[in-house]
Amino acid sequence: MSTKPTVRSLAAGAAAVLAAGTLAGITATASAGTAPAGAPAIAANCGVLFDDFAYSSSSDPAIAARNWTVRTNSGGPGVPGAAWPAANVSFPTDGGQKVLQLTAKTDGTAGGTSHAEFFHQRKFFEGTYASRVRFTDAPTSGPDGDRLVETFFTITPLDRPLDPNYGEIDFEYLPNGGWGEQGPIFYQTTWETYQNEPWQADNTHTAQRTSFNGWHDLVFTVADGRVKYFVDGVQVADHGDRYYPETPMSINFNLWFIDLLGRTGTGLATYIQQVDYLYYADREVISTAEARNRVTAYRTAGTSHVDTVGAGGTCTTTPPTTPTTRPPTTPPTTRPPTTPPTTAPPANCAAAPAWDWGTVYLEGARVKHNGRLWQANWWTQGSEPGLTAQWRDLGRC
């Protein structure tokens, strides 16, 4: 499941276009471990997952056969008691192309709230993850204002509190805010681990506080100790160090409500998120443009699904042309280094109170904790300085 990035909770360069002729003879699908005839050699050697979501409904037997799961079990994240019905996952046609559609609904009560989730088996680790996702700021019907999360992420199960083998890499869009933030806000969050009770999060994140309503190319690469996030071909985040994943993950999309607050009216509100395609290149770093080119080539050949991940083989992880790091809209909020230069003078901690778990801190507030001075990056409560990205380290006292 995808969980909130920081506060207490439940849980480019363009490459050459692949010629359609290189894909001649590809069949409509390829099962795991079997490369389609005539597939690009680099993709076959490294292993790929491509899915165009050409399914008839959530009960299409091809979904399970291709190792996808439509979630129906109860539980977090989101509103306690909310349902996760299979009917909230559908595959309509949008602009002449089949898409995965997640639907979430709420009437302001737990019993009248439902979420959606669609996820793949756990077998993905280093490489490039690419998807074209449509975020929506407003409901398709009903009152606006509900606080929900629209996602594309990978995750490893948490076997125990603060499990060191846990991993999670998130794109999370909150059109109406939440977690102490006013919307819209778009998070890229990379997790080391967490525990639920009492809540303790070990992660780092970047955020853009602007609308991302509409279709966007979302890519993250996992290679050489770094997790890099790209939106529409532009790098917006670079995380690594202890946050780098250690184990294989599953690929997930879900749509869920944070709580039952924030709405501006009464009645049933219905929200959707759509996904055009998913492409994963195993142990290979490619640009957003190259991922789209490969998807176009598969579509040109009439191929709707390929899965050769886990079939063996080796490949060289070569980064694409260095991309621009200019954010698409507003500068991302990045976590500064936790250790200042050793030559930095002591911070002036005289006027700063000691950090307190139960106190609400607003942006700019300063506290002392563990012999250091910290400044709040935004609203926060219950987030310990040094463990979460709400706090900026201003140096030793």
Side-chain angles (χ1 to χ4, degrees), residues 70 130 174 196 252 382:
V70 178
L174 283 61
N196 196 33
N252 298 249

Side-chain angles (χ1 to χ4, degrees), residues 39-325:
I42 188 168
N45 288 341
C46 298
V48 302
L49 171 65
F50 166 65
D51 206 310
D52 218 10
F53 301 119
Y55 303 109
S56 59
S57 70
S58 60
S59 60
D60 190 326
I63 291 174
R66 295 173 180 174
N67 299 306
W68 287 103
T69 297
V70 178
R71 177 178 173 176
T72 57
N73 62 292
S74 61
V79 175
W84 297 78
N88 279 15
V89 175
S90 60
F91 301 91
T93 298
D94 183 273
Q97 178 66 46
K98 278 275 195 175
V99 297
L100 162 65
Q101 180 167 294
L102 306 177
T103 300
K105 304 177 183 180
T106 185
D107 61 4
T109 69
T113 299
S114 62
H115 303 147
E117 183 165 9
F118 190 72
F119 62 95
H120 207 277
Q121 71 182 124
R122 179 187 170 193
K123 65 174 182 177
F124 306 95
F125 186 39
E126 293 180 311
T128 299
Y129 300 76
S131 187
R132 183 162 175 80
V133 178
R134 179 192 174 197
F135 294 131
T136 53
D137 280 356
T140 58
S141 62
D144 200 355
D146 292 291
R147 301 200 288 225
L148 73 160
V149 186
E150 307 174 28
T151 74
F152 166 38
F153 67 103
T154 61
I155 194 168
T156 299
L158 185 78
D159 288 337
R160 63 185 185 277
L162 301 179
D163 178 4
N165 290 324
Y166 177 77
E168 187 174 347
I169 301 172
D170 297 335
F171 277 113
E172 293 179 308
Y173 181 54
L174 283 61
N176 293 322
W179 303 332
E181 286 281 348
Q182 299 299 312
I185 184 168
F186 189 20
Y187 287 109
Q188 300 84 45
T189 307
T190 311
W191 291 75
E192 167 55 18
T193 189
Y194 76 95
Q195 71 176 17
N196 196 33
E197 291 295 340
W199 177 252
Q200 182 178 338
D202 187 0
N203 62 34
T204 187
H205 79 261
T206 301
Q208 298 86 44
R209 293 170 174 82
T210 189
S211 172
F212 281 84
N213 185 68
W215 286 102
H216 297 280
D217 290 307
L218 307 182
V219 170
F220 58 86
T221 61
V222 182
D224 300 323
R226 309 303 301 177
V227 178
K228 298 181 180 181
Y229 297 80
F230 303 82
V231 178
D232 297 326
V234 176
Q235 183 175 322
V236 295
D238 181 349
H239 302 158
D241 306 315
R242 73 173 185 271
Y243 306 108
Y244 193 79
E246 298 90 1
T247 55
M249 300 167 286
S250 64
I251 297 176
N252 298 249
F253 299 92
N254 65 15
L255 179 64
W256 52 279
F257 296 100
I258 296 172
D259 52 36
L260 298 176
L261 305 174
R263 55 177 27 222
T264 57
T266 60
L268 182 68
T270 300
Y271 294 83
I272 65 168
Q273 172 187 338
Q274 293 181 332
V275 184
D276 185 19
Y277 64 81
L278 172 69
Y279 182 82
Y280 167 74
D282 184 21
R283 291 165 290 163
E284 184 186 10
V285 173
I286 62 174
S287 68
T288 300
E290 174 64 8
R292 292 195 67 180
N293 290 339
R294 294 184 184 185
V295 169
T296 298
Y298 279 126
R299 286 176 167 172
T300 300
T303 302
S304 62
H305 177 264
V306 176
D307 186 357
T308 59
V309 179
T314 59
C315 62
T316 302
T317 302
T318 304
T321 304
T322 302
T324 176
T325 56

